[in-house]
Amino acid sequence: MLDRRSFIGTGALGLAGVLAPRMAFAKAATDRRFVFIIQRGAADGLHIVAPVGDPAYAAARGAFAEDFATAPKLDATFALHPALGAVNRLYGQKQALFAHAIASPYRDRSHFDGQNVLETGGASAYQVRDGWLNRMLGLVSPDEAKAIAISATMPMALRGPHEVSSYASAALPQASDDLMQRVSMLYAGDSQLHALWSDALATRSLTGDMAADNGKNAAATGALAAKLLAPANGARIAMIETGGWDTHTGQRGRLAAQLKGLDGMIGALQSGLGPVWADTMVLVATEFGRTVAVNGTGGTDHGTGTAVMLLGGAVKGGRVLADWPGLATSALYENRDLKPTMQLDALIAGATASHFGIEGDRAMAALFPGGRGGKAVTGLA
């Protein structure tokens, strides 16, 4: 039987431990990169990192368990969805870490409200007006406070007082060189517009011909992000939006396709970053999980606890962190959901603090001002 008081995984970490004091402020700038990939729609963590060693798992998940019959085992309890081949290789290289039975403070299962809590770092929806990723820009060194959103609109997590860029592929045809030159001449006499236009041209140059395919292919989005992050004068922090994780029907096929796309995105990001990958951390998180039981249309409904990924050469991976509550009916949250036993805000604060050399308490207070308190998870990078 599983012991929910024991952490599962090599070198298990205590949530109660304060991050060892390292520096009151961020270290001098290095080649560190940080990427936040949001899974909009509530990704089913139980169908991504499956607790196959839980005695109640097979009966609780029914046909879903068939997807893990030959899936790669992460440890004695958990297996990884077979669509995540590149992520599994990173796990074998100790560059992937999974946290399970995790959730933000939000409990009411609304996508809009849940995403707002995830992105703002508040204890409830619309409590905080800016995003935790934007606030993080005030904690890192000025050279590292260069962020970009790979999105048509600015995500809530990056909104706030610190300047942030955005980039998304255009549906319109590529502008001719002649038109670009004419616009440059038009803006030449305006100091503000000239600076903004020059930055836009520099970003366009970095992306090359990738933009036309960006919206059609998750791997292309990963490659695009790498082009924006890899240069020494490029962005250091990025956010990528992914959708389609709301699997109320036909989950097995739909989630497999979603995960294949995510896997391609991660692989392209790693390949495109080259040597910079060694100093990169990628956070993959969703607003909440899904029900343990499968519904009548082969899907799952809005739930609570889920799984989160940390990936990259800067991650102390090869582990699953879980104070596992179990899937027996008596152990479920409100008799239907995976019970969260780890705070998502504590994990994010610990990950960013470890990665950028920030004091854990300072990161927790700045990124999650309306949260439930607690201590940042230690030793993630």
Side-chain angles (χ1 to χ4, degrees), residues 127-223:
Q127 175 193 32
V128 181
R129 295 183 179 274
D130 55 0
W132 68 263
L133 197 52
N134 189 280
R135 294 194 295 275
M136 192 177 81
L137 299 179
L139 303 182
V140 301
S141 69
D143 288 341
E144 291 175 317
K146 299 176 181 177
I148 191 163
I150 314 299
S151 171
T153 59
M154 188 62 65
M156 186 66 232
L158 275 172
R159 295 181 191 176
H162 300 286
E163 184 176 347
V164 176
S165 301
S166 65
Y167 188 90
S169 62
L172 297 173
Q174 289 286 332
S176 68
D177 291 339
D178 179 66
L179 176 60
M180 301 298 284
Q181 185 177 4
R182 288 174 182 271
V183 175
S184 297
M185 292 173 61
L186 179 66
Y187 289 166
D190 187 306
S191 59
Q192 183 177 9
L193 290 177
H194 177 70
L196 293 172
W197 181 250
S198 297
D199 288 344
L201 288 180
T203 300
R204 182 176 184 264
S205 176
L206 283 173
T207 59
D209 295 329
M210 282 292 306
D213 297 326
N214 176 35
K216 303 176 184 177
N217 188 314
T221 303

Side-chain angles (χ1 to χ4, degrees), residues 39-45 102-104 106-118 245-246 248 285-291 301-307 336-337 344:
Q39 298 168 294
R40 297 197 186 279
D44 186 0
I102 190 169
S104 79
Y106 181 74
R107 294 289 180 271
D108 291 333
R109 306 186 183 95
S110 161
H111 290 303
F112 298 109
D113 291 355
Q115 288 172 28
N116 183 269
V117 171
L118 169 60
W245 300 95
D246 195 16
H248 287 283
T286 192
E287 64 262 33
F288 45 74
R290 307 193 72 82
T291 52
D301 300 316
H302 299 177
T304 308
T306 188
R336 51 172 277 166
D337 301 341
L344 179 55

